[in-house]
Amino acid sequence: MEALLASVRITVATMAICVAGYATAVWAVGQAITPETADGSLITRPDGTIIGSRLIAQPFSQPKYFWPRPSAVDYNAAGAGGSNKSPTSPDLTDRAREIVAAYRATPENPLPAELAAASGAGLDPHISERAALYQAARIAEARGLAEPEVEALVHRMAFAPGGFLTTDRIVNVLELNLALDGTGTPQQ
Amino acid sequence: MLIQPILFVVLIVGGTALISWPLGRYMTWAMDPQGAASGRPNAFTRLFQSIGGSVSARPQDWKRYMVSILAFNVVMFVVTFSILALQQYLPLNPDGKEALEGSLIFNTAASFTSNTNLQHYSGEVSLSYLSQLAGLMWLQFVSAATGIAALAALARGLAGRKLGNFFVDVQRASFLVLLPVAFIVAILLVVGGMPMTFNGAAVATTLEGVQQTIARGPVAAFVSIKQLGTNGGGFFGPNSTHPLENPSFWTNVVETVSIILIPMACVWMFGRIVGRMRHATVIFGVMLVLVLLRVAGGIWFESAPTQAFADLPIEQTTGNLEGKELRFGASAGPLWSVLTTSTSNGSVNAMHDSLNPLAGMMPMIGMWLNEDFGGVGVGMINMFLYIVVGVFIAGMMIGRTPEYLGWRVEAREVKFAILALLAHGLFILGGTAVFAATPWGADVLNNVGPHGFSEILYEFSSASANNGSGFEGLGDNTVPWNVATGIVMLLARFIPIILPLAIVGSLSAKRRSAESSGTLSVEGGTFATMLAATILVVGALTFFPAATLGPIAEHFIYMN
């Protein structure tokens, strides 16, 4: 009985300090020094409506936009998830076959692998620099731009996420598309 | 191409090992301020005694210490069960999350009480902010603190001292160890771009004009203690693959370091309290080698491209990217998958279900062994069980009475140790057998053939190792799964805490003898080899037949 009473007293103390105090302190620091990312890295239009989050992939299917990686949850940012398919699964082959067709990939011009592979949360905001360049011709045609112009934009916005510790440069699809529309400021 | 993965692993694992040394020293000060001296309790101890009340001022034998652990854990379970069950009536629910199903509440409360954090729900879909913080994040603190307290008591007992008082120890671990480290890591994460807001989901209209609801919340505070306390239960369903739970390469580095930091420091704390740092160094070395072997295996096997794309015009040069995020780099997924299962953490930054077959076996081996670093506190306790068995076998081989740190290890202690180790095998293999043979398992698989079997095997391994990761394709939010894994998690949590305490109680009732030239030294290469061999024979061979039916079969059938 004494043990239960002590447990209850410690419950009250840990709830007050490790939950209420701790969460409030982290929240206060976050809102004070990085309010924009602490609210979810949202991008808004001039009228205040939200376009999306820099960190969250959104669906793109029009030819004039860069396309993100496939999503097992159809880019549902309120219920994220991966395919959870084994890499040996024929289901993945079927899904990849449709994607290959959409990109009109050929053995001479194979598709970068991540454009056929869904990410863990289905919300990966990035594609590799190569995967963006792979789409440059389609976008240039749809927008009536010269292909080198689109390629230059990709090169300008691509970055190495871990500096010298990473080999592949990546680029944020939403930011790239905002830059194409001329409404966003290129980051990085 | 080879230099980056090696550099990445060396910097993360080596860097964490370096930080763990001073942290182990600090933890010893925090958990065991008086050391062997019996002076007046310090200010913190007096404060914790006054919070805990009169019962916390008295020294406890192993039985009282155990009863105190169980009493506190009953309260933990009941409080969180109540918060989850009543979340629809409680505040801090901006998105109007509704009532949860009964067996899911049981499973979730059991999961977080036992430091497992197996999740049969998806956080952003089902839980209010209050459930996340006061229900689950609270348990992430106090369940981890329970493990650290139990290790401190075990170490004191082996040092020939009184075990201490659980109610003081659990507060020391919560307030002096976990809280300051969690605060520092949470600030690093929030600066690294992680959300920390009490506002509900944001509704966006995308560039192509589609509505997208973006779940967010007080993520940074939650993720910090999730990583540090070998908890692993994510704020969002897909855990640290989610861009808001792991926004960049650098947050991924911080989170990866946080997985193994305190488990590593626990070994040093054990060595300091026992007063045998050379012995702790040998244990640390054995653990490190076992981890690095699996890391190397994981990265190697995962560099094979996605087999399903083999006949399509898709580049085959970047390894398997299904279930992975690009911002972390190529080796981050397999490294994390091994560390998170070595330590009973169970968070993920890549979907384990989508790892290549043998890369997916590395996390399973980690959960089967469950001691190379292991959960905070309890990992070192599991290692103690292997040490008892190893010392006993060595004693039999050289024909001397087995001794550990001057304590005579006899039939009673070895029986307890073997019982605890066998329970792990029984829960995993027994549970897998029942569910693989019945519709409970067979009807909820996301993959066919050997990979489907692996999903069941992984789930029970995760429950019994108190890990919490999963082959998440498994449709495990059903009543049979919720009840079965809930019971396994609770038994597998408390058996390996109670039995080691009983062993120490039994040892310390004997007369301690001085170590002589006839005693097997616990500080050299012979002991390290003996210990590693015991772990591999007792731990790994138990599960080898099951592995051949799952990942090994899948590898040889499907991979070129």
Side-chain angles (χ1 to χ4, degrees):
Chain A
M1 213 42 230
E2 265 189 316
L4 281 178
L5 191 66
S7 301
V8 171
R9 295 169 69 135
I10 293 169
T11 296
V12 173
T14 45
M15 278 280 189
I17 296 168
C18 296
V19 176
Y22 163 74
T24 310
V26 176
W27 172 81
V29 172
Q31 292 292 335
I33 55 179
T34 52
E36 191 241 320
T37 55
D39 277 339
S41 306
L42 302 177
I43 305 173
T44 49
R45 295 185 181 82
D47 66 358
T49 57
I50 301 166
I51 297 173
S53 165
R54 280 181 211 289
L55 293 172
I56 299 290
Q58 48 182 246
F60 284 105
S61 56
Q62 296 172 11
K64 63 173 182 172
Y65 285 123
F66 287 95
W67 297 342
R69 299 177 62 185
S71 168
V73 293
D74 198 18
Y75 309 98
N76 179 1
S83 74
N84 288 307
K85 292 292 181 189
S86 164
T88 66
S89 167
D91 295 345
L92 290 191
T93 315
D94 295 341
R95 188 191 69 198
R97 198 170 279 126
E98 286 176 26
I99 295 170
V100 162
Y103 281 96
R104 301 202 189 98
T106 58
E108 296 73 41
N109 185 25
L111 190 70
E114 83 266 21
L115 291 180
S119 67
L123 300 172
D124 189 347
H126 299 108
I127 56 178
S128 69
E129 189 176 30
R130 274 179 313 133
L133 295 175
Y134 191 85
Q135 307 183 37
R138 182 192 73 229
I139 288 152
E141 193 194 337
R143 289 181 177 261
L145 296 168
E147 201 177 325
E149 268 183 86
V150 179
E151 286 175 353
L153 180 70
V154 171
H155 288 306
R156 198 162 67 238
M157 297 187 64
F159 64 103
F164 64 98
L165 286 170
T166 38
T167 44
D168 292 323
R169 282 156 60 85
I170 61 175
V171 59
N172 185 302
V173 177
L174 177 58
E175 289 178 359
L176 206 47
N177 286 333
L178 283 168
L180 279 176
D181 281 356
T183 54
T185 42
Q187 296 261 319
Q188 268 106 19
Chain B
M1 279 307 280
L2 195 63
I3 187 79
Q4 273 93 358
I6 293 174
L7 203 59
F8 185 68
V9 171
V10 167
L11 284 178
I12 286 190
V13 179
T16 314
L18 285 179
I19 313 172
S20 76
W21 178 264
L23 181 62
R25 204 186 171 103
Y26 168 76
M27 282 172 63
T28 312
W29 171 82
M31 294 303 298
D32 199 36
Q34 282 152 281
S38 54
R40 265 165 55 79
N42 71 9
F44 282 119
T45 305
R46 289 199 302 275
L47 173 67
F48 298 150
Q49 284 172 346
S50 67
I51 292 174
S54 59
V55 70
S56 57
R58 291 196 287 272
Q60 296 177 318
D61 61 11
W62 78 267
K63 282 183 190 148
R64 282 189 189 283
Y65 203 96
M66 176 198 77
V67 169
S68 305
I69 288 180
L70 293 178
F72 187 52
N73 276 261
V74 166
V75 172
M76 284 158 57
F77 181 92
V78 170
V79 168
T80 293
F81 190 99
S82 311
I83 292 175
L84 292 175
L86 299 173
Q87 70 165 5
Q88 65 273 29
Y89 307 116
L90 295 172
L92 268 184
N93 188 7
D95 295 317
K97 303 296 185 197
E98 292 174 6
L100 302 167
E101 187 267 325
S103 74
L104 179 63
I105 299 174
F106 164 73
N107 185 275
T108 305
S111 171
F112 282 75
T113 299
S114 62
N115 197 244
T116 309
N117 293 207
L118 196 70
Q119 296 172 291
H120 287 178
Y121 65 92
S122 180
E124 76 269 37
V125 177
S126 304
L127 295 188
S128 74
Y129 292 168
L130 189 81
S131 294
Q132 296 264 33
L133 295 180
L136 304 184
M137 190 181 78
W138 174 61
L139 286 186
Q140 293 185 329
F141 273 100
V142 290
S143 71
T146 300
I148 297 173
L151 177 63
L154 182 99
R156 288 188 199 112
L158 287 174
R161 294 162 41 203
K162 291 206 164 66
L163 295 194
N165 184 295
F166 172 74
F167 294 115
V168 173
D169 283 342
V170 77
Q171 293 182 75
R172 286 171 171 155
S174 299
F175 296 133
L176 299 181
V177 177
L178 295 169
L179 184 64
V181 184
F183 185 71
I184 294 168
V185 169
I187 297 307
L188 289 176
L189 294 176
V190 87
V191 168
M194 200 176 287
M196 186 67 202
T197 175
F198 290 98
N199 293 334
V203 179
T205 308
T206 69
L207 280 187
E208 291 196 349
V210 181
Q211 287 245 320
Q212 189 183 37
T213 303
I214 300 170
R216 48 185 180 162
V219 186
F222 190 94
V223 171
S224 166
I225 185 63
K226 163 197 117 183
Q227 294 301 99
L228 287 164
T230 58
N231 295 292
F235 191 90
F236 297 102
N239 213 290
S240 283
T241 65
H242 196 296
L244 295 180
E245 189 154 340
N246 201 354
S248 75
F249 181 89
W250 300 108
T251 57
N252 186 63
V253 168
V254 171
E255 290 185 30
T256 311
V257 166
S258 302
I259 292 175
I260 41 172
L261 179 59
I262 295 181
M264 279 181 165
C266 279
V267 180
W268 302 130
M269 181 184 87
F270 173 82
R272 284 184 190 279
I273 296 179
V274 173
R276 297 293 292 269
M277 285 311 277
R278 286 177 63 97
H279 176 48
T281 309
V282 170
I283 295 173
F284 195 94
V286 171
M287 290 176 165
L288 192 62
V289 167
L290 290 171
V291 166
L292 289 177
L293 284 175
R294 294 201 302 279
V295 169
I299 292 179
W300 173 257
F301 292 125
E302 201 52 15
S303 65
T306 315
Q307 185 64 30
F309 303 160
D311 300 328
L312 296 171
I314 295 174
E315 283 182 359
Q316 299 281 300
T317 51
T318 38
N320 173 29
L321 291 172
E322 184 68 24
K324 290 200 190 57
E325 309 289 304
L326 293 184
R327 60 193 176 282
F328 307 148
S331 26
L335 172 64
W336 180 308
S337 76
V338 167
L339 296 182
T340 194
T341 47
S342 298
T343 56
S344 103
N345 185 297
S347 58
V348 299
N349 77 345
M351 286 301 165
H352 290 192
D353 215 344
S354 297
L355 292 171
N356 281 326
L358 292 182
M361 189 173 73
M362 296 299 142
M364 289 195 225
I365 296 174
M367 296 187 293
W368 296 336
L369 303 182
N370 207 23
E371 46 54 51
D372 36 50
F373 298 113
V376 288
V378 292
M380 185 57 226
I381 295 179
N382 280 340
M383 190 55 142
F384 168 70
L385 294 171
Y386 279 109
I387 291 173
V388 169
V389 174
V391 162
F392 180 74
I393 295 173
M396 295 295 103
M397 286 163 72
I398 56 176
R400 286 187 184 273
T401 312
E403 280 181 11
Y404 178 55
L405 304 177
W407 306 105
R408 285 175 59 160
V409 175
E410 292 171 301
R412 182 181 165 85
E413 292 84 32
V414 176
K415 270 188 215 157
F416 284 169
I418 288 287
L419 200 60
L421 294 175
L422 283 183
H424 188 49
L426 179 73
F427 293 147
I428 294 174
L429 298 175
T432 304
V434 170
F435 275 68
T438 58
W440 291 346
D443 284 358
V444 296
L445 301 178
N446 186 44
N447 287 278
V448 293
H451 198 86
F453 178 79
S454 295
E455 288 181 339
I456 298 176
L457 178 63
Y458 197 106
E459 186 74 3
F460 274 105
S461 302
S462 179
S464 184
N466 284 170
N467 185 272
S469 62
F471 273 15
E472 289 298 338
L474 187 72
D476 47 22
N477 185 16
T478 63
V479 173
W481 275 110
N482 286 338
V483 173
T485 54
I487 293 169
V488 165
M489 287 188 284
L490 290 174
L491 291 175
R493 169 68 168 176
F494 295 108
I495 290 174
I497 288 181
I498 292 170
L499 286 174
L501 285 177
I503 294 174
V504 168
S506 161
L507 286 177
S508 53
K510 304 176 190 185
R511 262 231 333 243
R512 196 176 185 182
S513 56
E515 288 171 67
S516 67
S517 58
T519 315
L520 174 70
S521 164
V522 293
E523 297 181 345
T526 315
F527 176 75
T529 313
M530 191 64 212
L531 184 57
T534 307
I535 292 166
L536 292 177
V537 171
V538 178
L541 280 190
T542 313
F543 301 100
F544 185 71
T548 54
L549 291 176
I552 296 177
E554 188 188 8
H555 177 82
F556 283 111
I557 295 172
Y558 295 104
M559 301 293 282
N560 294 331

